[in-house]
Every structure is written in structure tokens, then in C-alpha cells.
Amino acid sequence: MSQAIDDSRTAAGAADEVSALPVRGRRTEQELLTQWVRRHVHRNGGGVLWIEGPPGAGRSRMLAGAGTEAALAGARVLTGAGLARGQLTPLAPLLDALSAETDGLAHGPRAGSPEEGESYWLLREVGDRLRALALERPLVLLLDDVHDCDDLTLLAVRTLTARLAGLPLLWVLASRAHPDAPAVRTLRRDLLSGRATHLELPPLAPEAVRQMAQDILGPRAAAAAPYLPYLDGLPGLVRQFCAHLGHGSPTAAEGPADASTVLAPLVTRRLHQLSEDGRELVLTASVLGGSLTVKHLSQVMGRREPTLLRPLREVLAAQLLHAGHDRLSFPHTAVREAIAATLPGPVRTSIRRRLVEARMKAGVPAVSLAPELVDLAEPGDAQAGRVLRAAAQELAAVAPGSAARYLKRAVELTADVCPERQRLSAELIPLLWQSGDIAGARDLARRVVQTAPDALTHAEACLELARMGSQFHVRQPDAQVRHVHRRRDVPVALKDQLLLTTLLNRLLAGEAGEAGGGGMAESLMRTRGTHPVSELTHRILRSMSACHRHHWADALKHSEAAAAGVAHLDPAHAATLPEVALATSWRAALLGLSGDDRSARDLVEEAANEAEQRGRRALLPLWRNARARLLLDAGQLAQAARELASAETEAAATGVSFMGESAALCTRARVAFHMGDDAAMEECAARADACLSGDDPRQRGIGAWVTLIAMAYRDDLGPAERHLPLAMAHARRGYVHALPVDPAETVLLVRIALGAGLREDAVSVVEFAEHRAQRSPRFSLFAAVATHVRGLLDGDPDRLLAAAERYGTARPLLGAEAWEDAGALLAEAGSPEARGRFERALEGYEACGAHRNVRRVRGRLRKLGVKPGAKPGTAAPAADVPGAGWRGLTPSELGVVRLIAHGATNRQAAERLFVSPHTVNTHVRHAFEKLGIRSRVQLARLYLTEVDQRGAVG
């Protein structure tokens, strides 16, 4: 099996003779191994090297090469290897390695394990013999296939590498990557955590594989080229495949083939060499998967496990299966696929189905069986339908996408005329909605409503339609609601929830007058407390209605009660309800208004993370918009812009527009206004025009408000008078979908009214803001806003400064605006204090990334004769850098150059300018060419000298 190497002869492997020629593509690893061996042999020192790689990676050839180098350097080389079929004698690999050099050291008894004392003395004798050989001259011990060694051999390696560490004894150990045996993993960990050196053999690069095939096949290598990528860069598999091609390779005319087809001849020959029982076993195993147990084979083949031992040994010897610690596996996926391809399709399906049936009888959970049944079940299979439904129910709360897939398959297996099909469809509706198939959920709900087999299924489908209406434009016909409420066989709790959800839809859709009237109050009193979810919805309605009436303390109180109701619901079930998501989003917004920003962020972050992890795609736009609003409040404009873009992407992926887009439009317009994003502002203005052209009063109010923002952005307030009444009505409404109207909009509204010369409208808005602050003393933000707008109206800088102090750090953007407004009044009065106010405003705007505001305040400071300082790395739009005449650079190139000159990396510049790193790299390259420079250092020096120190040109 193994032999001592004292010259350049070939080293023996585990079973076959292995050439000592180096493996092509292993030059780096071979050089590392050669250097390591030579260094230790010449220094007369010891050491341990652990070589590992997947089967076929060339470990044995690397060992042979190491033995050759060691022999040439004058060392004595011993080789041994573990046996994949198990050792009959413990310590056999080391005993075999020593047998060529030792006359008196025998293997010991071959039957059974040695007694404890005998093992000790045998281990000691091996150690003494290795010590003696190492003292004569440097000794190199090559041990291949360590993963197949017996426990006593592994113990000997661990013990002797430490005991003989001071001797000129080199241990070169080769093992399969990621060994299954715990003892091997422990040995590897202990050696590598100590003084052992690690050498990993990764798959060969494609070029090395091509060269290897060329060496083996010569002129016929071209025929192998299409198939080489399927060999995973493993030298052993390449040699095996090329050997097959040497007897008959596929031609180009036959067209492309997959890996299993290419490798089919490799495994077919071995299949023919097996007995009938061996072929049945490996064919069955190929259908069951890449990893399985003997128990699985026994169940599917209907044979007792002991009767499988003989064919299993035969298959292992043919290397069609590998035996791990407790499982069987194929040496390569393509090998399994090639074997499975020899079976007819119906036979493969039958084998897989037998395995599923056996696992069903063994009590395997439905969740584990469902993935197989999705493909195997046939129409009319009631048992498969029950398993898929059970799996869907288990996964509904944690993986709605998978649950929808399983339940949809269960529906398909059920006959069209069967009432059970409609009941399953009703259960499928919320799963489709949560996983993002909004159109599919809506269409399915409408079909179930029209063809429901019973009143309960009809009511459940109506409720799901109404729930979708709480987030999306899906109207629930009132006739269906009345029909449900007339049925006595529908539970009262279901009727109440349907009524409350319908009322909530009306409130969210802007029908505040109708929803807030006596009919709603009567309905609320009649339904209150009949069911936890109904009570939760009832509290949301009361809170939003109070917000509409500007009873903010009541709104917060009812949202707190709703949060308490959510806490009492089953967490797994609660996360799937749109009512819970709406209640959480609404409460987070109210907490943000009340000054508890941290709690608001925590609520939104937790809910958003849960939705992302569970794949509740329908809720992602809601949470991203809520997060964007909180980021805007906190003055983090760039992050808010990214969240809004992500929300729009998520909404587009669902295929149905969501009602929350109105709130998102308001937030996006504010972000674009402060950041100076021309493209985003124009897009918002276009959407506002579409809102103004409709008949919905709520949408027209939002359109008027965004139009006013766009006018202020363009400094064109001439037509403002036409839109102010609708915008003021929008501000007084109190909320937009599931978000309260931002109090900051009141400040901008007063500024627009004053700028347009509409003082009476400004007075009306200020009185509204002061009335709101008086009625809600708990909301300090309202008081700060009221002080701010009163200061704007009266031209009182002291009030504006007081507002800035009240905003504090909670609303940095509003605070900066108050500082700027105060500075503007002081500058008009010629007060020297104006500079300090503008500088405070500039500092706040720069921290928020409000580029448009930054440009304006810098202009105000220049008028005072002050050159504003720029912080290194602070992003600014292209309009704030020199004109296009400076050195011939375009505005886009100048914007990038400014950031680069102040120390930003290409990626940081891309993030701040909202472009790709590739675009930034292109601008930098063009700037280098135009400026005649070659380095970023030169760029920074030139820009700082000619621009920053002399002021912007143009």
C-alpha cells in the first residue's frame, strides 16, 4: 500500500500508483510545498503541514511531489494512507508507513480492536521507531486521506506531532476539505491552532483546466472545451473525463450538453459493472438526492437495512457513492444527475413519491414534505392537498411567500367544482397579498366573492378585499358589505371587522366628513370591544378622527390603546394583519410629533426588519415611507431620499399603486426642495398636476400643496393665489393616509403666502397654527411652529430665535430655517448679529445635506461681505461650484472635482451626488485629461489654489 521513498521514485497513494508529476495549475501551491519541505529538511527541523481540498483536487499528487523533493534533499520519506472502506487494523496507516523501514514492527492482530494496554504499547513503539529514524537523518512522513484514518491513528498523529516536535520529523497530512468525522475535525482544529501550516487546494482556474485537457488530449482537446466548465476545476475529474474522451468524444454537431450528459459515459460503465441489487440501490439513491441515509433507502426500496449492506459495499467500491459519518453522498452532483438520467421520468417520480409516503408514515412534519409534494402531487390527490395546506398554515406567519406557493398548489390539486377549492382560495388571498402578488390577491378575492360556496367564505373574502383597500386602491362594493351583515350564519366579530375596515378605508381615502359623521360614531359604539382586532381597528379610527379634528392628545391616547391591543394579540398572527401594520405606523408618526423620536424609530425599524425578513412585500412601501418621514424630521435628507426611492421600487414590484403614495409624494417634494434636486422636483410637480386634474378633493389638496412647493423652488409665486385655499385645506385636514400632516408644512405655507403678497392667507395659517398649539400643549413641536410662523408674520426676530431654541436638535432642519429667517430680518435692519444667525443656519443646513438652503445662505453671507467656510467632504450640488468656464470642466465634473479635492473617495462622492461610482470615475478621468494632471493630489492642490482660495469663478 505504501513504501519508503529514498530517491526520486513514485510515491504510493491510498490505492493506486500516483505520478509525482506536479498538477497543472498548482504551481503556487507546489512552490509553497517545495519551499516548506526544503527549508525544514535543510535546517534539520520538524513541522506539520496540513493539505486539504475536495475529492479530485490533486492531494495525492501533491504528496508525491513533496516526497520527491524531500528525497532529493536527502530525507527519508515514509508514506501511508487511510482506507475509505475502513481499517481492519487500528494504526494501520502508520504501521504500513514504517513496514518498509522496520523489520520487527508488525501490525498486530487483524481481528477486532487491540486491548487498551496493547494500543498503548503499540503507539509507544511507533513513536520510538519514528524517533530513532528521525535521529539518523531528517524524516518526512506523508499521510494521505487522513479523513479515512481510524481513531487510533488520529490519536497517534495528535500525540506524536507534539511529543516528537523537537526532532527533524516533517508531517505532511492530506485530507478532504470539510471532513465529516468529528475526530478528524478536532484533529484539524488542534493542529492548525498550534504550530501546523495550512495549505488549501482550491479548484483550478479555467485556463489551467484547459491546459490540462490540452496536455492529455492533444489535438482532440477542442472537442472537450464546451464541457470543461462542468468539471468544477478538479484535476481528478478532468483526467477522468479526458480519459473517456480518448475513447470517443462528442462532436460539435451534436450540440451543447449539460454536465450530467457529458459525464454519463463515465458512470454508465461503472453501473454495468454492478450487480442488479447494486444498480437498484444507486439508481434509487440518485433520485432521492445528493445526501441520504441507509434508512431512507430501506424505506423506499422496501428492504430491511441489513440486506442493503452487500450492494452498498459494491457501490462504495465503484466510487459512485461516498460514505460519510452518518450519511451517504455522491462524489459529484453531475455524477448523481448522470445516473438519474438513465431512469425514465415516471420511474423517478414514483421513487420520489414512495419516499414522501414513507416519510409521511414516519410522522415527518408537513413543512418538510411540502417542497417535494409541490412537484410530485397530481390533481385529485386529497392527501397531498391536506399536507400542503397544513404546511401553508405553519408557514403563514414566518414565510408567506412559501405558504402561498404551497396553498396555491393545494388549490390546483382540488377539483374546480369542489366547494373546498373556494375555501382554500379564501385562505390563499392574504398570503398572496403579503408576498407582494397584489393583483393576484385582488382578482382571486373577487372571484371568491362571486362564487363563494357559503356565507362564511364570502364574508372572509370580502374582509380580505377590504383589508387590501387599507393599503391599495381596491374598493369594496357596499352591496357586498350589506349582504354580509344580513347573514345570520356569519360570526358577529367578522361582521364588525368588515364594517370597521370599510370605514377605515373611507377615512384613509379622504372621506373624512362622511366617515367622521354620526353614522361612523354609531357604528363605532356598536362594534366596540366585540373582538381584539375589531377593538384595535376601532382605536385606529378614533385616533385618526381625533387627528382630523386636531384633538392631538386624544389621537395619541387612542393610539396608545391600539398599541396595548396589539401587545395582547398572538405575535405570529398579528404580524400578518394590515390593521396591526397601520396601527404601528400611525403610532410611530404620532410619537415623532410628540417628541419621542427614538421610540418612533424603534417601532418603524422593528416592523420594517420583520417585513423584510419574512418577505411581507406588500408592507415594505408603508415602512419605507414611514422611515423616510422620520429621517426627514431628523434632517437626514440623503437617507430619506434613498428610502423614498426604495419604497417606489417596492410599490412598482407589486404591480399595484398604494394609497400611501400621497404621503410619499409630500415627503419627496420636501426632500427634493431642500436638497436642490431639480429632476425629483420636476417629477413631483408632474404628479401634482395629475392630482389637480382629478375630482378627488383630497388628491387635489395634495396636488395644490406640492405645486406650491414647486413654485417656491422655482422662485415663481405668481400663481400661488389659485392654489393656496386647497393647500390650506390639506394642512388643516391633519393627516395624509397613515401619516399626520407635517407641521413644517405650515411654516413653508406661511412663507409662500407672504412671498406671494397674500397676507390674509398667511394670517389664517398662523391663527390655525396657534390654535393647534393651544389645544395640544403636550406637543411642543406645535408650539415651536406657532412661534416660528408668528415671527414670520410679524417680522419679529426674537420670536424666530425663540422658535430656533425650541426646535433644539430634534428638528434640525426647522431650527436652521428659523435661524435663517431671524438672520434675514436682522440683515434688513442692518444689525451685525445677522452674520451669526446665518452661520448657525449654514451649519444646520450642511449637517442635514440641504444643498439648496446652503447655497442661499452662502449668498446671504457674501452680501454681508463674509466668505463662508466650506467643510471638507461636505456635499454640494454643481451650482455651488465654479461655472463651466473654469478650465473647461462641465458642472457635473466640477461637482465631482470639489468632493474629490476635499478628500472624498469615488464611492463617497457617488453616494453624495446620487450617481454611480462608474459615473464619478468617468468625471474624474475627464477632469484629469482637461487639467493635464495625473493624480488626485495634484487635483486637490489645483482646485484649492484656484477656486477655494480665490472664490468661485463665474
Side-chain angles (χ1 to χ4, degrees), residues 747 773 779-789 799 802-804 806-807:
V747 177
F779 291 77
S780 59
L781 178 61
F782 293 160
V785 168
T787 304
H788 192 165
V789 295
R799 285 184 179 271
R806 284 191 174 187
Y807 289 135

Side-chain angles (χ1 to χ4, degrees), residues 299 354-364 368-369 372:
Q299 293 172 341
R354 290 206 304 268
L355 175 61
V356 172
E357 291 173 353
R359 298 175 70 194
M360 283 183 185
K361 294 178 182 178
V364 174
S368 300
L369 299 173
E372 287 286 332

Side-chain angles (χ1 to χ4, degrees), residues 425-455:
S425 298
E427 296 179 19
L428 177 60
I429 295 169
L431 296 176
L432 291 175
W433 176 81
Q434 290 184 61
S435 58
D437 187 3
I438 311 302
R442 179 187 59 191
D443 295 341
L444 180 60
R446 288 175 174 172
R447 290 200 303 271
V448 174
V449 166
Q450 295 171 1
T451 61
D454 52 63

Side-chain angles (χ1 to χ4, degrees), residues 47 165 186 189 196 198 209 259 347 357 413 475 558 583 646 688 799 802 810 864 878 942 946:
T186 302
R189 182 195 62 205
H198 180 231
V209 173
V347 175
E357 291 173 353
L413 297 177
R475 293 290 183 148
H558 289 303
S646 298
R799 285 184 179 271
L864 296 178
L942 188 65
E946 296 191 8

Side-chain angles (χ1 to χ4, degrees), residues 771-820:
H771 179 67
R772 179 177 60 186
Q774 291 171 1
R775 299 187 65 174
S776 306
R778 179 175 175 181
F779 291 77
S780 59
L781 178 61
F782 293 160
V785 168
T787 304
H788 192 165
V789 295
R790 174 57 68 179
L792 286 173
L793 182 66
D794 296 344
D796 186 347
D798 292 334
R799 285 184 179 271
L800 294 172
L801 294 176
E805 295 295 341
R806 284 191 174 187
Y807 289 135
T809 58
R811 295 292 183 271
L813 198 55
L814 279 172
E817 289 180 347
W819 285 111
E820 182 186 1

Side-chain angles (χ1 to χ4, degrees), residues 220 223-224 226-227 241 244-245 248-258 261-262 265:
R220 305 190 65 182
Y227 310 99
F241 172 69
H244 159 66
L245 289 184
S249 61
T251 64
E254 295 174 353
D258 59 18
T261 302
V262 173

